[in-house]
Amino acid sequence: RLTKKKLKNHLAYSWWKYALAAAVSTMLVSIVFAVTEYRPPDDKKVEFYVLNSYADTETMQADFWPLLQARKPEQEKLTVININLTDSSNIYAPMQFSTYVAAQQGDLFLISRDEMLKITSDGAQESLVELTPYLESGAIDAEDIDLAKGTLDRGDGTTAVYAIPADTLTGLNAYGNDPRDSLLCIPMYTKNADSAAALIGLLLHIKHLGLEENSTAGNHWLT
């Protein structure tokens, strides 16, 4: 017969079993949600890695997502991630970036020229998407930009544009980012090159699309 005394005695010695059961149940529920949570396919999301310095990724993401979605309605997600490879005091940043690259993550890089030359040391055609078709189609309008720094060897003795210099994108200062001696490029493994190129186009000409008036970052953008 169950009595208060027996119940109290049972709980005094067995409370940890219930605590453990509750913890395990919570963990299992969390795992189930994580496994079953919907994730956009690779061709419907853009991961923008800001690698050249600090950036306010939350504000940048909030500003650019509606604009990218307007230009590419089929897209479902934009993620902006900051891994500052220029900060020599952060020894973990290069390891983090290498891990992401090994997992073939990231669709667009804003990267310093020195770091870009490192990842293209075996030939630009092995690591970056050639941007010539996007320049010719107008998806990337770089008419006023000197493309010399982003023009690299194809590997056969000819050259092509693989990166867009970002020096003139002074509006990035509003996000705490210094774009000097940096470039925009698309890694070869991306499954969403067209949308990454569209985001480059927005970065180059955002002033014409009204971000200056609506941005949560305040009054800013390109000259």
Side-chain angles (χ1 to χ4, degrees):
R1 179 166 167 251
L2 184 62
T3 64
K4 287 185 178 180
K5 184 177 180 180
K6 289 182 179 179
L7 181 59
K8 184 177 181 180
N9 186 61
H10 172 75
L11 292 176
Y13 290 98
S14 303
W15 64 268
W16 62 271
K17 297 178 183 178
Y18 297 100
L20 179 61
V24 171
S25 298
T26 301
M27 183 176 66
L28 289 174
V29 169
S30 178
I31 291 173
V32 169
F33 274 105
V35 170
T36 59
E37 181 185 10
Y38 174 74
R39 292 177 175 83
D42 291 339
D43 62 346
K44 291 189 178 180
K45 65 179 181 179
V46 177
E47 292 182 344
F48 178 22
Y49 285 11
V50 181
L51 308 167
N52 64 327
S53 71
Y54 169 79
D56 178 356
T57 57
E58 185 176 343
T59 303
M60 187 179 291
Q61 188 171 301
D63 282 348
F64 284 97
W65 169 233
L67 296 165
L68 178 62
Q69 198 173 35
R71 183 167 290 193
K72 292 285 185 177
E74 74 283 0
Q75 294 301 294
E76 297 180 8
K77 187 175 183 180
L78 168 66
T79 304
V80 183
I81 299 170
N82 184 207
I83 305 173
N84 187 359
L85 296 179
T86 64
D87 182 3
S88 58
S89 65
N90 185 356
I91 61 173
Y92 299 105
M95 291 188 290
Q96 183 183 11
F97 178 57
S98 297
T99 301
Y100 285 150
V101 169
Q104 297 193 343
Q105 294 181 350
D107 302 291
L108 175 62
F109 297 160
L110 176 59
I111 191 169
S112 71
R113 179 168 171 77
D114 288 343
E115 290 294 334
M116 185 199 69
L117 292 176
K118 287 180 185 178
I119 66 176
T120 57
S121 58
D122 293 329
Q125 79 287 350
E126 298 293 334
S127 52
L128 300 178
V129 172
E130 183 180 334
L131 301 180
T132 307
Y134 297 108
L135 291 164
E136 292 176 347
S137 70
I140 299 176
D141 183 1
E143 184 178 352
D144 300 326
I145 295 177
D146 183 356
L147 299 175
K149 290 182 179 179
T151 302
L152 305 172
D153 193 331
R154 277 194 177 103
D156 60 2
T158 63
T159 60
V161 177
Y162 285 92
I164 306 297
D167 304 76
T168 61
L169 307 190
T170 55
L172 289 173
N173 295 156
Y175 302 104
N177 185 268
D178 182 358
R180 288 177 295 178
D181 201 29
S182 299
L183 300 104
L184 291 159
C185 55
I186 301 173
M188 176 60 74
Y189 55 70
T190 182
K191 303 293 193 301
N192 205 1
D194 290 353
S195 295
L199 184 54
I200 293 178
L202 289 171
L203 283 161
L204 297 181
H205 294 284
I206 207 68
K207 189 171 184 179
H208 302 300
L209 297 177
L211 181 59
E212 195 168 32
E213 292 77 16
N214 300 318
S215 171
T216 54
N219 293 326
H220 65 284
W221 262 95
L222 313 180
T223 55

